[in-house]
Amino acid sequence: MKVALILGDQLTTDVSSLQHLEKHRDWIVMAEVGTEARYVAHHQQKIALIFSAMRHFAAVLRNNGWQVHYHHYDPTRPQLGLHDVLLAFLAHTPASQLIVTECGEHRLHQQMIEAWPVQLGIPITIADDSRFICTKAEFAQWAQGRKQLRMEYFYRDMRRKTGLLMEADQPVGGQWNFDSSNREPYRGDPVVPIQMPFTRDDIDNEVLSLVAREFASHPGTLTHFNWPTTREQALQALDSFINTRLRWYGDYQDAMQQSQHFMFHSLISTSLNCGLLTAVEVCQAAQQAWQDNKAPLNAVEGFIRQIIGWREFIRGIYWLTMPGYAAKNFLNNSRDLPDFYWTGETRMACMKACFKNTFDHAYAHHIQRLMVTGNFALLAGITPSQVCDWYLAVYADAYDWVELPNTLGMVMHADGGFLASKPYAASGSYIHKMSDYCRHCEYQVKTATDHNSCPFNSLYWDFVSRHADQFRKNPRMAMIYRSYERMSDDKKQALQARSAYVLEHLNEL
Ligand code: FAD
Ligand code: DLZ
Ligand code: SF4
């Protein structure tokens, strides 16, 4: 008899571990455990989503004729780990082999391959995760010998491999990337369609009560919980995005609004990452929308690029570089994460709006994560590991394999440019251009050195000045350094004084 462990982010009947089993002979184990729910203080909605989706998926497996041993979260034993549940199961159902589809986190992967065979006393087979387009080995081969890894070239290979938006060996529309047509600020028209609301069944409601009771100290609230917890709901959410929002996805991909939490984004990352949807089916649905004239090419290409480009690239980087990657701190940052990242309380309107989104919905879209909360952490020189822990905790789609390179590499530039050719540092002007936040703010975005000047402005020039050694020679930063060097000494001193004040009073901003 064999047993497969299916993890909380492997909730698909196509999961590769099942290919090794026979229905009526072998067993599947799934377990809600405190070690996974508590190794960081996950947002309450993330725990509710995973537990509920796991319970629904176990029911699907049983309906399909599988034998499933399901361990419900046991509040009297919050310290239980996955291997404890397996050990107890194997004690009464001895098996010759444990099969697990490769897990998404280095931490757990190492435990599985190093400790578990001894602790459990059976051999473990790790099956490739067939949900990704590019295997770890293919990515390593692609990366070999390249001095810099750039998403754009990797993405073209993924287009060729999948045939998405291709005409023979050429990209449709004659261009690989239509980003130059994207990135419009949003002025209120077209109206942003509402997210599809889901009705909750008994399983969801039981889990929501459990999480409210047992994880009340974790960040966020459950009030607005609206994540798909079944494959059917995830497909409905995808369909709703494709039919109501995709057509504007490209134009307003980077836009932010005080009153709009989701803009024209898809909100499918939670479903993709826990297994309810596959990358290929999502991209095919978007491609079909373009073929049916429901959405323009700039929107569809931009959306597909995020998935077969960025998502696959990020995963490749993670497995290529771990475990060393997590410890990188190229800019030698050492400042603590300000308290407002956890309380959400700040007078900076942009940060406050992004925190509200985060705590209310366990969601913020990419530009909110990158150019608002991320940008602030970069400019303020926060210790990268603290920033990473925050992003891993507060978003419902967060798993180490995708959160870490995005935060440590893309946001914090802590990998020294391995992932991105220049830091995504920006002053308040960028936020002002792409949002209406500044209209709601006590700080003045047009000034940099006054007592009420936008904190991003002086911090930006302080960042430029204190990292001159690292970035002055970067051709993509040359214009910025020329502007800085042209500034008068008085202006530089005033900026220095204001940024010093801001850094000393971070928790009061
Ligand atoms: P859409 O804008 O609709 O994009 C469609 C899909 O493209 C997403 O669902 C996602 O699967 C994929 N995608 C887009 N950008 C990226 C990217 N940079 N990396 C990987 N996939 C991408 N994404 C996660 O899934 N989990 C994370 O833990 C995570 N942490 C992040 C941390 C930081 C600091 C930053 C800057 C980005 C992070 N992202 C993460 C990437 C991105 O912000 C989210 O994927 C996106 O906001 C999810 O919302 P959506 O589904 O509405 O995305
Ligand atoms: C994130 C998470 C949580 C909160 N809880 C569980 C759980 O109880 N059981 C489980 O199997 N997985 C859980 N997960 C997901 C894992 O922590 C982990 O992130 C992934 O399996 C790694 O790919
Ligand atoms: Fe943010 Fe500065 Fe604009 Fe305020 S003025 S919303 S702090 S960018």
Side-chain angles (χ1 to χ4, degrees), residues 249-270:
Y249 177 84
D251 293 351
Y252 303 115
Q253 196 177 346
D254 292 2
M256 299 173 281
Q257 287 282 294
Q258 177 92 1
S259 59
Q260 292 293 340
H261 308 305
F262 312 117
M263 296 300 296
F264 297 97
H265 290 268
S266 68
L267 275 75
I268 57 158
S269 53
T270 57

Side-chain angles (χ1 to χ4, degrees), residues 124-139:
I124 297 188
T125 299
I126 306 284
D128 277 358
D129 192 342
S130 52
R131 291 175 297 163
F132 289 92
I133 294 159
C134 184
T135 66
K136 294 176 188 175
E138 281 168 341
F139 190 87

Side-chain angles (χ1 to χ4, degrees), residues 5-10 30-39 42 46-47 50-51 54 73 82 102-105 107-108 398-401:
L5 173 70
I6 297 188
L7 296 165
D9 58 350
Q10 300 180 339
M30 295 178 69
E32 297 167 8
V33 287
T35 50
E36 294 308 309
R38 294 183 195 279
Y39 75 92
H42 301 289
K46 179 176 172 188
I47 301 174
I50 292 175
F51 283 8
M54 285 174 70
Y73 183 76
L82 292 166
E102 52 189 350
C103 90
E105 305 205 351
R107 161 193 71 86
L108 194 54
Y399 299 88
D400 205 41
W401 67 265

Side-chain angles (χ1 to χ4, degrees), residues 327-343:
K328 297 224 176 280
N329 187 1
F330 173 70
L331 300 176
N332 294 317
N333 291 351
S334 59
R335 198 164 274 112
D336 284 336
L337 192 73
D339 295 342
F340 50 67
Y341 276 78
W342 295 108
T343 64

Side-chain angles (χ1 to χ4, degrees), residues 65-369:
W66 289 101
Q67 308 188 88
V68 183
H69 172 76
Y70 192 95
H71 175 86
H72 288 81
Y73 183 76
D74 179 354
T76 64
R77 292 187 297 166
Q79 75 288 0
L80 277 193
L82 292 166
H83 75 279
D84 296 315
V85 174
L86 283 166
L87 205 55
F89 173 79
L90 292 169
H92 60 74
T93 320
S96 58
Q97 196 185 5
L98 171 66
I99 298 146
V100 194
T101 291
E102 52 189 350
C103 90
E105 305 205 351
H106 189 268
R107 161 193 71 86
L108 194 54
H109 178 73
Q110 285 308 106
Q111 288 173 26
M112 274 179 194
I113 57 171
E114 284 170 8
W116 287 15
V118 181
Q119 288 169 337
L120 302 178
I122 54 168
I124 297 188
T125 299
I126 306 284
D128 277 358
D129 192 342
S130 52
R131 291 175 297 163
F132 289 92
I133 294 159
C134 184
T135 66
K136 294 176 188 175
E138 281 168 341
F139 190 87
Q141 203 178 6
W142 176 82
Q144 204 172 30
R146 289 175 196 253
K147 236 167 107 191
Q148 289 186 319
L149 304 184
R150 291 296 166 252
M151 193 283 296
E152 185 61 31
Y153 299 107
F154 170 78
Y155 164 58
R156 292 178 191 182
D157 284 354
M158 293 302 102
R159 289 271 292 276
R160 291 187 190 99
K161 182 169 182 184
T162 57
L164 284 161
L165 300 182
M166 295 295 290
E167 259 163 7
D169 61 348
Q170 291 304 309
V172 297
Q175 265 171 249
W176 291 101
N177 182 319
F178 288 83
D179 237 7
S180 53
S181 324
N182 294 348
R183 301 187 177 149
E184 296 289 319
Y186 175 71
R187 309 267 180 239
D189 180 41
V191 171
V192 181
I194 55 154
Q195 289 294 323
M196 166 169 249
F198 292 109
T199 37
R200 292 299 160 201
D201 64 7
D202 291 347
I203 296 181
D204 292 322
N205 289 330
E206 224 172 86
V207 166
L208 287 165
S209 307
L210 169 79
V211 173
R213 217 174 38 243
E214 300 301 326
F215 298 93
S217 63
H218 285 228
T221 63
L222 292 167
T223 318
H224 303 284
F225 184 89
N226 189 41
W227 295 109
T229 55
T230 63
R231 175 154 167 82
E232 289 68 33
Q233 287 182 342
L235 286 169
Q236 286 165 15
L238 172 63
D239 197 51
S240 157
F241 165 70
I242 297 278
N243 287 307
T244 65
R245 300 194 302 284
L246 173 62
R247 74 196 71 164
W248 293 294
Y249 177 84
D251 293 351
Y252 303 115
Q253 196 177 346
D254 292 2
M256 299 173 281
Q257 287 282 294
Q258 177 92 1
S259 59
Q260 292 293 340
H261 308 305
F262 312 117
M263 296 300 296
F264 297 97
H265 290 268
S266 68
L267 275 75
I268 57 158
S269 53
T270 57
S271 300
L272 276 175
N273 294 353
C274 78
L276 299 180
L277 293 175
T278 69
V280 169
E281 74 185 337
V282 165
C283 293
Q284 281 171 345
Q287 176 175 256
Q288 192 61 50
W290 170 67
Q291 285 164 344
D292 296 345
N293 287 324
K294 285 188 194 164
L297 190 52
N298 70 307
V300 172
E301 186 282 316
F303 179 70
I304 288 179
R305 175 163 21 92
Q306 304 312 311
I307 298 171
I308 68 170
W310 277 113
R311 185 170 185 269
E312 296 281 332
F313 180 71
I314 288 282
R315 176 182 186 252
I317 298 261
Y318 180 81
W319 287 108
L320 190 69
T321 57
M322 282 298 279
Y325 199 74
K328 297 224 176 280
N329 187 1
F330 173 70
L331 300 176
N332 294 317
N333 291 351
S334 59
R335 198 164 274 112
D336 284 336
L337 192 73
D339 295 342
F340 50 67
Y341 276 78
W342 295 108
T343 64
E345 284 310 318
T346 163
R347 287 177 293 136
M348 293 181 281
C350 54
M351 296 282 279
K352 195 177 170 83
C354 294
F355 290 140
K356 182 166 167 45
N357 220 11
T358 301
F359 294 121
D360 284 358
H361 301 286
Y363 179 82
H365 73 64
H366 187 66
I367 293 301
Q368 293 176 312
R369 298 187 207 196

